[in-house]
């Protein structure tokens, strides 16, 4: 394959240097790099964009990296990033965080996932009160009480001020995000990196797209505030959608992202009912403009993956009949670089649906853009 | 990945294994650079990646490193620049043992530099949140260059203080710990530090290290310093001719 050009290199280096970029920003960089060559038609530009990404990923395959797009569930926006695909000795170097810091981060993510109120975020104070000992395997088991589980001194001595500094750092680096109410949520990098981890840890999935439904609350969305955000502060000024809705029937575990809900029922007449139990669903307050934006983004994503996703769907439906949960709890061992080698973690619950038509599907149809962040030692 | 037959054939190793090793070396370079904020990576570390796997063929580590260099360029647009570690001038001239950071055996090291044109890099790649370090690097190298390539620690901080950086400041809004920020430049091999025993006790000297003395960087520094010097002379000349009137005009 022909070598990548300086335009490809610019796209790659912009992601490596600036971190995950919002789709608009990334597409803007691409437009400025190629506008003279590609002409003005939007469709042609999209096609060229997809070709660029495909070519980059083909070259990345030899170094186990991939360029991926992923949706931030809090705001529904698509982000692009370069992610590591394999956990090895080299990738374990790729973090400036210490072991206790990583354990702290992991504790926060788990606390968010398991939050009883299901809001997909926890209070700052709750995050600071997380105990690192709980991250030591077996430390909290009743059988281990009085046993010989060694808590590393670094974990015991991880002070409150260290936690505060680490929390700020994690938010700054987009592993977590911060709300004006003082709550902590999951950041863009985590969405990019921990996709399989969420599945492995049985975070309930969206009924439509099969992605982890992190935040099952519908927020009141006001359009002007929705568009106000600053770097690292994904919620700023709004209680955003992009979240998942719980079925009102408490006995039913169906969840949907609000943007998936709108997509599913847009243009349909009649009531919105749960596909699991038939209970009527509350209307989402996602504005039409957001739905349109998400639709456009999804069309782009679908076009770029259409041929491959149909091949993968037929392969996956054969696999799903015997799908097992990969219970290693280790995100990094699951995927490999190329589309053809991508291995999915599936759930044996049978909840798996066909590939998502409105956002990232779990079947790896966007495997050309599969990415794992470099902080892989979680 | 295909290799030149005449080179690859001298090693009786399948291409797949070579590919894997080259990939590991590239990953090591990328991740290590990220972890240590751009500090040079010793060639010895890269060689060890190959030899630790049991490959004892002569020149094979060099082959793998060269291939990694080529791939970093073609895939990522990075140049893998080789630096020759320099020794402090005091130790080099007198030969006496001084508390130097270098060990003579660690000769070659590598950094990765973007090959993109500077305007493209500045517009699309540069991380604006870290430009303060670039600024500090330029200023410190410029000061030491103007001082003749070597300066005492006290003198260096004297000049930095005039620019608003204090030696013992730990909560600088950009640099946090300013002393640590300067130490980062030492770790990145822009500077080297040497403690010299003198009649008045230990004196710490800073001088330019191999990364600052690397031709492309050093030439640019000299050019910018020359431009600034010319600018300052022009400004001084402006005020020395009809100085009183011009000073009054701007309120001095």
């Amino acid at each position: 394959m022909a070598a990548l050009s300086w335009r490809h290199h610019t796209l790659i280096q912009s992601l490596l240097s600036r971190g995950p970029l919002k789709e608009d920003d990334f597409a803007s960089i691409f437009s400025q790099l190629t506008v003279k060559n590609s002409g003005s038609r939007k469709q042609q530009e999209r096609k060229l964009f997809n070709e660029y990404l495909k070519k980059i990923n083909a070259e990345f395959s030899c170094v186990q990296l991939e360029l991926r797009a992923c949706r931030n569930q809090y705001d529904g926006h698509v982000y692009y990033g370069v992610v590591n695909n394999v956990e090895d000795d080299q990738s374990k170097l790729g973090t400036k965080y210490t072991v206790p810091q990583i354990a702290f981060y992991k504790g926060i993510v788990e606390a968010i996932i398991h939050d009883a109120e299901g809001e997909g975020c926890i209070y700052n104070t709750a995050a600071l009160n997380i105990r690192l000992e709980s991250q030591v395997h077996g430390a909290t088991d009743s059988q281990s009480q009085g046993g010989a589980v060694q808590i590393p001194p670094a974990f015991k001595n991880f002070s409150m001020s260290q936690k505060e500094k680490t929390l700020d750092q994690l938010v700054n680096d987009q592993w977590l995000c911060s709300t004006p109410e003082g709550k902590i949520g999951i950041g863009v990098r985590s969405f990019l990196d921990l996709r399989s981890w969420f599945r492995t840890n049985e975070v309930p999935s969206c009924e439509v797209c099969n992605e982890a439904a992190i935040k099952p609350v519908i927020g009141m969305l006001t359009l002007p505030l929705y568009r106000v955000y600053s770097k690292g502060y994904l919620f700023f000024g709004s209680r955003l959608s992009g979240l998942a809705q719980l079925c009102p029937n408490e006995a039913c575990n169906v969840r949907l992202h609000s943007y998936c809900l709108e997509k599913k029922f847009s243009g349909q007449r009649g009531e919105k009912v749960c596909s699991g139990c038939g209970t009527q669903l509350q209307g989402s307050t996602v504005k039409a403009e957001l739905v349109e934006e998400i639709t456009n983004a999804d069309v782009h994503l679908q076009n770029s993956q259409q041929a491959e996703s149909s091949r993968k769907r037929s392969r996956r439906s054969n696999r799903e009949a015997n799908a097992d949960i990969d219970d290693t709890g280790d995100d990094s061992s699951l995927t490999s670089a190329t589309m053809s080698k991508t291995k999915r973690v599936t759930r044996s619950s049978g909840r798996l649906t066909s590939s998502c038509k409105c956002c990232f599907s779990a079947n790896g149809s966007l495997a050309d853009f599969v990415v794992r962040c470099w902080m892989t030692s979680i | 990945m295909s290799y030149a037959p005449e080179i690859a054939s001298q090693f009786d190793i399948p291409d797949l294994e070579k590919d894997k090793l080259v990939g590991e070396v590239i990953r090591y370079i990328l991740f290590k650079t990220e972890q240590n904020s751009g500090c040079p990576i010793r060639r010895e570390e890269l060689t060890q990646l190959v030899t630790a796997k049991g490959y004892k063929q002569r020149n094979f580590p060099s082959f793998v490193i060269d291939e990694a260099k080529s791939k970093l360029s073609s895939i990522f647009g990075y140049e893998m620049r080789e630096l020759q570690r320099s020794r402090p001038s005091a130790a080099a001239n007198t030969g006496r043992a001084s508390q130097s950071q270098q060990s003579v055996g660690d000769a070659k090291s590598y950094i990765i530099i973007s090959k993109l044109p500077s305007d493209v890099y500045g517009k699309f790649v540069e991380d604006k949140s870290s430009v303060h370090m670039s600024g500090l690097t330029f200023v410190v190298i410029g000061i030491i260059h103007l001082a003749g390539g070597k300066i005492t620690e006290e003198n260096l901080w004297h000049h930095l203080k005039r620019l608003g950086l204090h030696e013992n400041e730990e909560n600088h809004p950009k640099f946090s710990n300013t002393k640590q920020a300067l130490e980062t430049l030492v770790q990145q091999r822009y500077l080297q530090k040497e403690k010299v025993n003198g009649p008045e006790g230990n004196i710490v000297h800073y001088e330019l290290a191999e990364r600052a003395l690397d031709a492309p960087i050093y030439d640019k520094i000299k050019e910018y310093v020359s431009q600034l010097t010319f600018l300052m002379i022009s400004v001084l000349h402006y005020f020395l001719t009809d100085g009183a009137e011009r000073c009054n005009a701007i309120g001095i």
Side-chain angles (χ1 to χ4, degrees), chain A residues 3-4 6-7 9-10 12-14 16-18 28-29 32-33 56 59-60 62-65 84-88 90-96 231 374, chain B residues 1 19 22-24 26-28 30-32 34-37 49 71 73-78 114-117 120-129:
Chain A
L4 301 180
W6 67 270
R7 293 182 178 85
H9 296 155
T10 304
I12 292 167
Q13 288 185 27
S14 69
L16 293 178
S17 172
R18 297 178 175 180
S28 168
I29 293 175
Q32 292 177 70
L33 292 173
I56 287 170
E59 293 293 320
F60 270 3
C62 67
V63 288
Q64 310 295 314
L65 299 176
N84 171 47
N85 251 352
V86 167
E87 183 187 354
D88 58 6
Q90 286 76 41
S91 61
K92 283 177 182 170
L93 297 170
T95 178
K96 296 177 190 174
K231 182 181 175 183
W374 286 9
Chain B
M1 214 184 290
D19 290 351
V22 171
E24 285 178 14
I26 292 171
R27 285 166 61 81
Y28 183 88
L30 292 173
F31 285 121
K32 195 75 194 281
E34 169 69 18
Q35 184 196 46
N36 64 16
S37 303
L49 287 175
K71 284 290 163 191
S73 176
S74 65
I75 297 175
F76 294 91
Y78 288 137
S114 172
K115 291 168 66 177
L116 295 172
V120 172
Y121 185 88
K123 192 173 179 186
F124 299 116
V125 176
E126 188 171 45
D127 181 12
K128 305 298 179 196
S129 65

Side-chain angles (χ1 to χ4, degrees), chain A residues 70-321:
Chain A
C70 186
R71 192 180 299 283
N72 182 330
Q73 293 189 21
Y74 291 91
D75 63 10
H77 286 299
V78 174
Y79 286 79
Y80 284 86
V82 173
V83 173
N84 171 47
N85 251 352
V86 167
E87 183 187 354
D88 58 6
D89 290 337
Q90 286 76 41
S91 61
K92 283 177 182 170
L93 297 170
T95 178
K96 296 177 190 174
Y97 290 97
T98 62
V99 171
Q101 286 179 316
I102 293 170
F104 180 53
Y105 162 76
K106 205 168 175 186
I108 293 173
V109 170
E110 287 177 352
I112 291 171
I113 299 298
H114 298 131
D115 175 41
E117 292 181 19
E119 290 189 346
C121 50
I122 58 174
Y123 280 103
N124 201 357
T125 45
L128 292 172
N129 286 328
I130 282 168
R131 298 189 62 198
L132 268 60
E133 287 85 345
S134 61
Q135 294 303 310
V136 177
H137 181 66
T140 53
D141 291 346
S142 55
Q143 289 177 351
S144 69
Q145 285 175 8
V149 177
Q150 293 279 345
I151 310 289
F155 280 34
K156 287 184 201 169
N157 299 333
F158 202 61
S159 66
M160 188 59 72
S161 71
Q162 283 175 304
K163 284 183 182 177
E164 282 173 351
K165 277 187 187 164
T166 303
L167 197 55
D168 287 340
Q169 208 177 333
L170 288 167
V171 169
N172 204 42
D173 292 343
Q174 297 182 275
W175 289 104
L176 299 173
C177 61
S178 176
T179 73
E181 294 89 10
K183 288 194 170 185
I184 301 294
I186 291 176
V188 172
R189 286 190 192 261
S190 300
F191 280 122
L192 280 167
D193 190 36
L194 299 181
R195 199 165 166 243
S196 300
W197 185 88
F198 291 138
R199 206 167 282 124
T200 307
N201 285 272
E202 300 188 352
V203 175
S205 301
C206 169
E207 185 70 9
V208 174
C209 68
N210 210 30
E211 292 292 331
I214 302 299
K215 193 175 183 307
V217 168
I218 290 188
M220 292 300 293
L221 184 64
T222 57
L223 186 60
L225 290 176
Y226 156 71
R227 294 198 185 275
V228 175
Y229 49 79
S230 58
K231 182 181 175 183
Y233 288 81
L234 302 173
F235 299 80
F236 187 72
S238 75
R239 288 152 47 200
L240 285 175
S241 68
L243 319 167
Q245 182 181 13
L246 288 167
C247 177
N249 180 359
E250 288 183 4
C252 178
N253 289 325
V254 167
R255 291 186 177 201
L256 292 110
H257 294 120
S258 294
Y259 44 81
C260 291
L261 174 68
E262 281 303 309
K263 198 79 181 8
K264 183 176 179 177
F265 293 111
S266 66
Q268 285 186 18
R269 292 184 183 177
E271 293 177 341
K272 298 175 188 174
V273 296
C274 172
S275 57
C277 63
T279 307
Q280 186 174 356
L281 294 173
Q282 294 173 12
S284 166
T285 56
V286 175
K287 294 289 183 181
E289 291 83 349
L290 173 57
V291 173
E292 186 184 340
E293 275 192 28
I294 291 167
T295 306
N296 289 339
D298 292 333
V299 166
H300 154 63
L301 291 164
Q302 285 176 54
N303 286 343
S304 67
Q305 297 303 319
Q306 212 166 3
E308 183 58 31
S309 65
S310 42
R311 285 201 294 276
K312 286 190 78 71
R313 267 198 297 273
S314 60
R315 283 204 297 269
R316 192 171 64 86
S317 57
N318 291 333
R319 274 205 312 269
E320 280 173 13

Side-chain angles (χ1 to χ4, degrees), chain B residues 87-99:
Chain B
R87 297 174 63 198
S89 55
N93 291 336
T94 66
R96 64 184 169 146
S98 60
Q99 294 182 26

Side-chain angles (χ1 to χ4, degrees), chain B residues 11 36 44 57 67 79 89 96 101 115 129 136 138 143 154 162 170 186 194 203 206 209 220 226:
Chain B
F11 311 111
N36 64 16
E44 186 184 298
Q57 291 89 335
E67 284 299 316
E79 178 192 347
S89 55
R96 64 184 169 146
Q101 296 170 290
K115 291 168 66 177
S129 65
L136 178 68
F138 171 73
I143 289 171
E154 184 185 353
R162 298 172 76 183
E170 292 185 4
V186 177
E194 189 186 6
I203 300 174
Y206 286 97
K220 276 286 179 187
S226 300

